[in-house]
């Protein structure tokens, strides 16, 4: 109990970079999100999970204003979307980076051109500077310099994810949204990607909102986890909070057979009892 009080006080003192309140989103007669609340704090990696079709991508797209909402408020990096001027909205957008679940890169553009796309859209920089910046980002995400002039079809899945991350980081965002960034990668590639994200959090102070089904990612790099279910955030907290949660879906997800193997080897906190 004392711990819970302390934790809630800590959360209040933390700098909130994304605050969603009472969000309702639907398509026709179908309600996907219903009065959803969510907070994301500066400098954390938030892992966002939920069953397939629960609405994780819809939430991310709504937060990015790519989908309309029926009700609710979204405050992002200290600004309420509904209250900002057009100029403020553009400057806000430059501080957000996104890696979408589908269509991570434009296939007709090279890696360098993909990374420069947001620069072209939002900044007015000479080509030589954009080239230097693109090369910096390529290095930052651990790609070889020769990846710059390759087309997505010439890259492996893991390289595409890294290149897409480089594009998400093109404008030095404060907050990045990653929708299943490690899906389709082998476990070693996925672990390397996770290490990279953690490194960016530690060195750049980046806040990361990561939708993922990858239990390894959730257990190894996420500072906090939020679970989407029943059209809202069912539970939000640390991995220990997830392990203590009695919701049946959360229980199966975090204490099921697959999860148990990871928890046991990583944390030595066996949950064999259930
Ligand atoms: N543009 C749209 N028009 C109508 N329905 C949509 C639209 N986009 C999403 N949906 C519906 O909203 C629900 C949530 O979809 P969403 O893509 O957010 O799921 P998800 O949690 O991201 O799943 P996954 O883990 O498989 O990626 C689904 O039932 C989907 O069919
Ligand atoms: Mg999705």
């Amino acid at each position: 109990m004392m711990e819970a009080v302390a934790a809630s006080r800590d959360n209040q003192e933390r700098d909130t970079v994304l605050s969603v309140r009472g969000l309702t989103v639907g398509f026709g007669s179908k309600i996907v999100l219903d009065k959803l609340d969510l907070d994301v704090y500066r400098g954390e990696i938030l892992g966002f999970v939920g069953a397939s079709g629960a609405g994780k991508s819809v939430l991310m797209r709504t937060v990015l204003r790519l989908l309309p909402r029926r009700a609710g408020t979204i405050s992002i990096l200290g600004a309420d979307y509904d209250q900002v001027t057009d100029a403020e909205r553009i400057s806000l957008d430059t501080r957000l980076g996104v890696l979408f679940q589908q269509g991570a890169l434009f296939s007709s553009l090279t890696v360098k051109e993909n990374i420069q796309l947001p620069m072209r859209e939002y900044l007015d920089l000479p080509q030589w500077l954009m080239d230097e910046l693109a090369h910096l980002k390529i290095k930052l995400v651990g790609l070889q310099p020769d990846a710059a002039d390759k087309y997505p079809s010439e890259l492996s899945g893991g390289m595409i994810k890294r290149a897409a991350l480089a594009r998400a980081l093109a404008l030095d965002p404060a907050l990045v949204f990653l929708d299943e960034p490690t899906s389709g990668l082998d476990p070693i590639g996925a672990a390397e990607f996770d290490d990279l994200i953690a490194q960016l959090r530690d060195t750049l102070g980046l806040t990361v909102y990561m939708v993922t089904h990858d239990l390894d990612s959730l257990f190894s790099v996420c500072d906090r986890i939020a679970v989407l279910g029943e059209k809202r955030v069912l539970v939000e907290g640390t991995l220990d909070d997830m392990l203590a949660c009695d919701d049946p879906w959360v229980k199966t997800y975090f204490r099921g057979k697959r999860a148990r193997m990871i928890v046991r080897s990583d944390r030595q906190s066996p949950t064999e009892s259930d």
Side-chain angles (χ1 to χ4, degrees):
M1 181 64 191
M2 288 296 286
E3 270 176 23
V5 172
S8 93
R9 196 185 318 118
D10 279 356
N11 286 350
Q12 277 165 20
E13 282 166 10
R14 296 178 72 179
D15 194 358
T16 309
V17 290
L18 173 65
S19 180
V20 177
R21 290 290 176 272
L23 181 72
T24 299
V25 180
F27 303 98
S29 59
K30 177 181 167 141
I31 301 292
V32 176
L33 305 174
D34 192 18
K35 302 190 201 74
L36 177 145
D37 294 341
L38 174 71
D39 285 310
V40 182
Y41 303 109
R42 187 176 302 281
E44 75 173 355
I45 299 178
L46 177 84
F48 202 83
V49 299
S52 193
K56 302 179 298 295
S57 297
V58 164
L59 174 59
M60 195 177 114
R61 299 181 82 91
T62 308
V63 165
L64 291 164
R65 277 181 304 117
L66 300 169
L67 284 175
R69 62 198 135 101
R70 298 204 175 151
T73 57
I74 298 169
S75 161
I76 196 158
L77 300 171
D80 180 339
Y81 262 154
D82 296 328
Q83 308 288 327
V84 294
T85 62
D86 285 347
E88 285 166 339
R89 193 166 293 144
I90 291 170
S91 113
L92 201 56
D93 284 345
T94 64
R95 298 174 65 208
L96 308 176
V98 191
L99 191 162
F100 288 109
Q101 186 172 8
Q102 264 119 22
L105 294 175
F106 286 98
S107 57
S108 59
L109 301 178
T110 63
V111 167
K112 187 170 79 180
E113 289 164 348
N114 264 286
I115 297 170
Q116 290 173 344
L117 217 57
M119 300 180 192
R120 272 185 221 291
E121 191 177 344
Y122 289 106
L123 310 174
D124 186 18
L125 299 177
Q127 187 60 46
W128 68 267
L129 188 50
M130 286 200 292
D131 286 345
E132 288 212 353
L133 289 172
H135 280 108
L136 258 171
K137 303 296 170 190
I138 285 169
K139 200 170 165 197
L140 185 68
V141 299
L143 285 174
Q144 294 300 316
D146 68 352
D149 297 313
K150 293 200 164 132
Y151 287 91
S153 59
E154 301 173 276
L155 303 178
S156 73
M159 290 163 85
I160 289 178
K161 298 281 186 190
R162 280 173 192 264
L165 181 64
R167 188 177 63 189
L169 297 173
L171 303 176
D172 298 324
L175 170 59
V176 287
F177 293 85
L178 312 175
D179 199 347
E180 302 200 19
T182 58
S183 70
L185 300 189
D186 66 67
I188 296 172
E192 283 174 0
F193 195 95
D194 285 342
D195 289 345
L196 172 62
I197 304 282
Q199 199 186 327
L200 296 173
R201 171 199 57 196
D202 297 338
T203 55
L204 307 177
L206 197 65
T207 307
V208 181
Y209 176 112
M210 176 160 73
V211 175
T212 183
H213 281 299
D214 191 329
L215 284 164
D216 278 314
S217 303
L218 291 165
F219 289 153
S220 61
V221 292
C222 293
D223 299 299
R224 281 192 326 124
I225 297 166
V227 180
L228 185 63
E230 296 162 29
K231 306 184 172 68
R232 60 189 172 86
V233 175
L234 276 180
V235 50
E236 191 178 341
T238 61
L239 183 54
D240 286 330
D241 295 329
M242 301 302 129
L243 295 172
C245 179
D246 271 334
D247 176 85
W249 192 88
V250 177
K251 220 168 149 174
T252 310
Y253 197 90
F254 289 98
R255 293 192 264 166
K257 213 189 278 172
R258 283 176 58 219
R260 218 156 9 195
M261 285 167 63
I262 302 171
V263 172
R264 223 185 264 159
S265 60
D266 267 24
R267 298 165 51 89
Q268 288 162 0
S269 67
T271 51
E272 279 101 327
S273 54
D274 50 319

